[in-house]
Amino acid sequence: MNGDTTRSAPATLHDVAREAGVSLATASRSLNGSTRKVNEEYRQRVLAAAAKLDYSPNLSAQAVARGTTTTVALLVADIADPYFSQIAAGVVREADRERLIVTMAATDRDPERELELVRTLRGQRPRVMILAASRREGDPNNDALEAELRAFESSGGRVAFVSSADLPFRAVQLDNRAGAESLARELTELGYRRFAAVTGAEGIRTADERLAGFRAGLEAGGGTLERIVRPAFTRDGGYEGMRELIDGGLDGVELVFAANDVMAVGAMSALRDAGLTPGTDVAVAGYDDIPTVRDVTPPLTTVRIPLEEVGRRALRLALGEATSDEEAPVHTEVVLRESTPRRA
Amino acid sequence: MNGDTTRSAPATLHDVAREAGVSLATASRSLNGSTRKVNEEYRQRVLAAAAKLDYSPNLSAQAVARGTTTTVALLVADIADPYFSQIAAGVVREADRERLIVTMAATDRDPERELELVRTLRGQRPRVMILAASRREGDPNNDALEAELRAFESSGGRVAFVSSADLPFRAVQLDNRAGAESLARELTELGYRRFAAVTGAEGIRTADERLAGFRAGLEAGGGTLERIVRPAFTRDGGYEGMRELIDGGLDGVELVFAANDVMAVGAMSALRDAGLTPGTDVAVAGYDDIPTVRDVTPPLTTVRIPLEEVGRRALRLALGEATSDEEAPVHTEVVLRESTPRRA
DNA sequence: TTGAAAGCGATACCAT
DNA sequence: ATGGTATCGCTTTCAA
C-alpha cells in the first residue's frame, strides 16, 4: 500500500490534535474523556484524524498521567500445568471483559522467587495482583511477602489469592478440606477401607488441607490411611510416589488418593508400568478435575473445581466487584468415575 | 511492623533523591544509568534511601521517558490448551531471563478478535509481539493484520510468529509438513495401509500442512487415506470427529490420524465409548507430543515438538538474538508408542 | 465548550 | 562527576 519503510514513530495525541485543528485537550477529551463535553463537530474531526493517522494511545503515558494503569498481574506456579493454565484462562477472559491487560509470571514453586516477582511486578503499578502460586505454611519469606503486598495495597493496589491463604488478603476460597472429606466419605461408601496417599511436601497448604480432609472423611467412614508418600507436586512426582508405594509393597491398599489430578495421572501410569491395572488392581482418585482425567483409562474419580471460574472470580474479587455469591467458597463436588469402581 | 494504613503513594525517585540529599539526576543514575559515573559515596546514599523508602521505579514513567518498554505481548488461541500453555511457558521463561514482562491475550481462534487484540496491544508499545494463535489461510482479516504489524514494526517493534506463517514476518518454523510425512511413512512401515484423518477446518494452516504432509507420506509408503472429517481443532472436536467416523462405518480403516494430540486424545475416548479399544481395534496417532499422551492408554504415537523451546525461540527470534541454529526449523521427530502397534 | 498550561514519574542532555 | 532542566505522551485543572 505504501512503500514507506522509514522508522516512523507512532502518531501521538499531539499529531491528532494538529491534524484535526483542535487543542491537545480537546483531542484528549474526544478520544477518552468519560464525561463528554465536546462539540460534536470537533469530536468527529478528531475521530477522523485519529483514524487517518492510525492513532493508538500510549498506555504508559496514560498510566503516568492518570496515576493508574489498566494492568492486572498474575502469578502462578507453572504456566504449563493445567491447573494453573485453566485459572489463567479465566483471569484473562474476565480481564478482557473489563478491558484490562494481564501480565503473567511463573514462580516455579519457589517462594523466594515469588517474593522477587511480586517486587518486580510492583513496578508496573498494576491495578490488581492475583497470586495463584501455591502457598507454603510457615515459609520464612511469608512475612516479607505480606509486607510487600500490604505496601502495594496501601498505595491503592488490590490483592487476591487463589485458595485459602494464611495471609490476610482476599481469597477465592477453595475449601480443599471439605472437598477431600466428601471424597473420602464417598469412597468408603463404595466399600473401600484401606488407603494410601500420594501428596506433596509437608507445608504446601493445598496438599496439607486435602490430606487432612481426606483423613477426616476416612475416619468418619471407617477407612484407614495406611501409607503416605510425599513426592513433588507434579505429574512426575505422582509417578514416583506410586512407584515408591509399589516398591514398598502395596499389600492390602485398595485405593490410592493423589492430592491432585496431574499426580494421579502420573500415578496411574506408574501402576500400568508395573503391570497393574488402575481401577481393577488398585483404585485411584485425584483432585481438581482437569480435562485430561476424562481421557485416561479408566476415567479418574476426582473432586471437581471449576478452575476457569476460579480465575474469573479471583479477578472480580480483587476488583471489589464480586457479588456475595462470588465471595462464598467455590462450589466443589465429587465426581465418581471408573477408576474407583464399587467394591463387591 | 508499622501500623500505618493510610493510603500512601509509592515513593518516587524524587523522594529518594531528597532523602539522599542529591539531585534527581544523580539518583536516577545511581539506580539505573548504564554507564556508571557516580561517586561511590553518593551512590551508596541513594541506594540506602531507596531501600529505606522501599522505592520501586514506575515502569510506565520509565517507558515514556525512555521511549521504550520492557514488555512482550503474547497472543495465543487458547491459554488452557496444553499446546499453547507450553509455548507460553517457554516465552515467559525466556522473557524472565531478559528481564522482560509478558502480557498475554487469547484470540479464542477468532481472526477478527486477533486483529482487534493486536490493535489494543499496540497501545502498550511492547518491544516485541509474538503471535502463536493459529493462522487461517486467505482470511479476509489477514491484510489488515499485516498492515497493523507492519506499522508496529516500522515504529521499532519486533514481530515473531509461531508456525510457518503466510505473512512476511519472522517465524519459528515448525515444518508440519515434513513431520506429518515422516509419521505417515513410519506408520506404513509398521504395516498400516488404510487410514482416516480427523483434522481441522480447511484453511487452518497447521491442519492443512499436517494433512498434506501425511498424504504425501502415505503416497510414498503405499497407504491410502480413505476418509477425512473436519471437526473443531479441540479435544471435543476430536471426540466428535471420531464419532462421525464410527457412525459412518469405520470398515477397513486401520489407523486414524488426528491433526493434533488433544484431538487424538478425544478421539481415543470416542473409540472407547463406542466399545472399541484404541491401538487394538483401531490405531491412533496424533501430533505435538503434549505431556498427556504418555498417560493415556495406550500411550499415543505422535510427532514430538519441543513446545517450550518453541516459545523460548520465538522470543529470541523476535529480539533478534537468535543464533543461526535457532533460526533453522525446529527439530521434530516421530515418537512411536503403543497406540500404533506393528501390524502382523 | 475550549485551550493554555501545570503536572505525572522518570531520563538524558547540557552546562558547570 | 553533578545538578538544572527540557522532554516523553497524555490528563486535567483553571481561565477565558
Side-chain angles (χ1 to χ4, degrees):
Chain A
M1 206 115 273
N2 112 29
D4 192 349
T5 47
T6 41
R7 199 164 172 309
S8 58
T12 71
L13 188 58
H14 220 102
D15 301 330
V16 174
R18 189 157 25 77
E19 173 78 24
V22 302
S23 75
L24 235 194
T26 299
S28 173
R29 289 192 275 250
S30 321
L31 258 19
N32 332 20
S34 38
T35 41
R36 45 149 66 215
K37 34 183 177 180
V38 162
N39 178 319
E40 188 55 23
E41 188 197 327
Y42 280 6
R43 179 185 201 72
Q44 289 307 331
R45 290 228 305 260
V46 172
L47 261 38
K52 176 174 176 202
L53 299 181
D54 195 16
Y55 171 72
S56 156
N58 182 321
L59 294 186
S60 293
Q62 288 192 323
V64 354
R66 298 212 244 247
T68 158
T69 65
T70 57
T71 299
V72 3
L74 171 62
L75 228 61
V76 299
D78 173 6
I79 298 175
D81 182 315
Y83 175 84
F84 295 107
S85 67
Q86 283 203 259
I87 291 178
V91 171
V92 169
R93 161 150 311 146
E94 186 67 21
D96 214 278
R97 273 176 27 88
E98 303 277 347
R99 320 209 125 289
L100 296 173
I101 278 166
V102 178
T103 82
M104 186 146 171
T107 66
D108 287 323
R109 301 194 159 75
D110 176 355
E112 201 130 356
R113 181 137 185 59
E114 177 175 32
L115 177 57
E116 202 180 302
L117 283 172
V118 168
R119 288 213 167 99
T120 305
L121 259 19
R122 246 185 61 201
Q124 292 190 60
R125 305 284 186 276
R127 264 245 257 287
V128 333
M129 235 154 105
I130 298 180
L131 306 232
S134 35
R135 312 269 51 252
R136 277 195 153 70
E137 203 88 48
D139 186 274
N141 289 295
N142 279 356
D143 285 349
L145 183 64
E146 178 174 347
E148 200 68 35
L149 292 175
R150 278 242 165 291
F152 175 64
E153 280 196 330
S154 80
S155 69
R158 319 283 246 115
V159 174
F161 275 84
V162 167
S163 136
S164 52
D166 40 340
L167 268 33
F169 296 97
R170 298 177 198 72
V172 178
Q173 296 289 345
L174 258 27
D175 208 344
N176 291 304
R177 208 174 182 296
E181 183 168 346
S182 305
L183 174 63
R185 218 182 227 116
E186 297 211 26
L187 293 174
T188 57
E189 278 167 20
L190 285 177
Y192 291 96
R193 287 294 172 273
R194 308 182 57 185
F195 299 81
V198 178
T199 179
E202 205 151 5
I204 298 184
R205 213 181 158 90
T206 303
D208 289 352
E209 291 176 348
R210 292 179 182 178
L211 183 60
F214 197 77
R215 270 209 164 97
L218 289 190
E219 217 145 299
T224 58
L225 189 54
E226 316 205 334
R227 294 182 62 196
I228 301 176
V229 292
R230 298 179 177 280
F233 216 44
T234 62
R235 183 270 178 197
D236 289 348
Y239 188 98
E240 286 162 26
M242 183 60 95
R243 260 241 68 80
E244 193 181 332
L245 287 178
I246 294 170
D247 290 348
L250 217 41
D251 55 353
V253 168
E254 302 157 353
L255 187 150
V256 174
F257 168 56
N260 66 228
D261 282 349
V262 299
M263 295 183 84
V265 162
M268 288 175 73
S269 283
L271 277 176
R272 264 191 305 271
D273 287 354
L276 297 170
T277 303
T280 306
D281 296 320
V282 185
V284 179
Y287 206 111
D288 290 340
D289 200 31
I290 61 174
T292 297
V293 301
R294 295 178 305 165
D295 295 315
V296 295
T297 315
L300 185 71
T301 285
T302 188
V303 178
R304 157 153 241 282
I305 306 180
L307 293 168
E308 241 245 12
E309 184 193 329
V310 167
R312 290 200 307 269
R313 270 209 211 186
L315 183 51
R316 297 181 55 76
L317 198 65
L319 291 175
E321 290 177 351
T323 64
S324 55
D325 268 13
E326 289 172 329
E327 287 183 352
V330 171
H331 178 256
T332 61
E333 72 186 305
V334 175
V335 183
L336 261 18
R337 297 205 181 90
E338 299 155 43
S339 70
T340 58
R342 177 174 293 285
R343 270 183 87 76
Chain B
M1 210 118 267
N2 111 31
D4 192 350
T5 45
T6 41
R7 200 164 170 308
S8 58
T12 72
L13 188 57
H14 220 104
D15 302 330
V16 175
R18 190 157 25 75
E19 173 79 24
V22 301
S23 77
L24 234 195
T26 299
S28 174
R29 289 191 275 251
S30 321
L31 259 19
N32 330 21
S34 37
T35 41
R36 44 150 66 216
K37 34 184 177 180
V38 161
N39 177 319
E40 188 54 24
E41 188 197 327
Y42 278 8
R43 180 185 201 71
Q44 289 308 331
R45 289 229 305 260
V46 172
L47 261 37
K52 175 172 176 206
L53 299 180
D54 197 15
Y55 170 73
S56 156
N58 182 321
L59 295 187
S60 294
Q62 289 191 323
V64 355
R66 298 212 244 245
T68 158
T69 64
T70 57
T71 300
V72 4
L74 172 61
L75 228 60
V76 299
D78 173 6
I79 298 175
D81 181 315
Y83 175 84
F84 295 108
S85 67
Q86 282 202 258
I87 291 177
V91 171
V92 169
R93 162 151 309 147
E94 186 66 20
D96 215 279
R97 274 175 26 89
E98 304 278 347
R99 320 209 125 286
L100 296 173
I101 278 166
V102 177
T103 83
M104 185 147 174
T107 66
D108 287 324
R109 301 194 159 73
D110 175 355
E112 200 130 357
R113 181 137 187 58
E114 178 177 32
L115 178 56
E116 203 181 300
L117 284 172
V118 168
R119 288 213 166 99
T120 304
L121 258 20
R122 245 185 62 202
Q124 291 191 61
R125 305 284 186 274
R127 266 245 257 286
V128 334
M129 232 154 105
I130 297 180
L131 307 233
S134 35
R135 311 268 52 250
R136 278 196 152 69
E137 204 87 47
D139 186 274
N141 289 295
N142 279 356
D143 285 349
L145 183 64
E146 179 174 348
E148 200 68 34
L149 293 175
R150 279 240 165 289
F152 175 64
E153 280 196 330
S154 80
S155 69
R158 319 280 247 120
V159 174
F161 275 84
V162 167
S163 137
S164 51
D166 40 340
L167 267 33
F169 297 96
R170 298 177 197 73
V172 178
Q173 297 289 346
L174 256 28
D175 208 344
N176 290 305
R177 209 176 180 294
E181 183 169 347
S182 307
L183 175 63
R185 219 183 226 113
E186 297 211 26
L187 293 174
T188 57
E189 278 166 19
L190 285 177
Y192 291 95
R193 287 294 172 271
R194 308 183 58 187
F195 298 80
V198 177
T199 179
E202 205 148 357
I204 298 184
R205 211 181 159 92
T206 304
D208 289 351
E209 291 176 348
R210 291 178 182 179
L211 184 59
F214 198 76
R215 269 210 163 96
L218 288 190
E219 217 146 299
T224 59
L225 189 54
E226 316 205 334
R227 295 182 61 197
I228 301 177
V229 293
R230 299 178 176 281
F233 215 46
T234 62
R235 183 268 177 197
D236 289 347
Y239 188 96
E240 287 162 25
M242 183 61 95
R243 262 241 68 78
E244 194 181 332
L245 287 178
I246 294 169
D247 290 347
L250 217 40
D251 54 352
V253 168
E254 302 157 352
L255 186 151
V256 174
F257 168 57
N260 66 227
D261 283 350
V262 298
M263 294 182 85
V265 162
M268 288 175 73
S269 283
L271 277 176
R272 264 191 305 270
D273 287 354
L276 298 170
T277 304
T280 306
D281 296 320
V282 185
V284 179
Y287 205 111
D288 290 340
D289 200 30
I290 60 174
T292 298
V293 301
R294 294 179 305 165
D295 295 316
V296 295
T297 315
L300 186 70
T301 285
T302 188
V303 178
R304 157 152 240 282
I305 306 180
L307 293 168
E308 242 245 10
E309 183 193 330
V310 166
R312 289 200 308 269
R313 269 209 211 186
L315 182 53
R316 298 181 55 75
L317 198 65
L319 291 175
E321 290 178 352
T323 63
S324 55
D325 268 13
E326 289 173 329
E327 287 183 352
V330 171
H331 178 256
T332 61
E333 73 186 305
V334 175
V335 183
L336 261 18
R337 297 204 180 92
E338 298 156 43
S339 70
T340 59
R342 177 173 295 282
R343 270 183 87 76

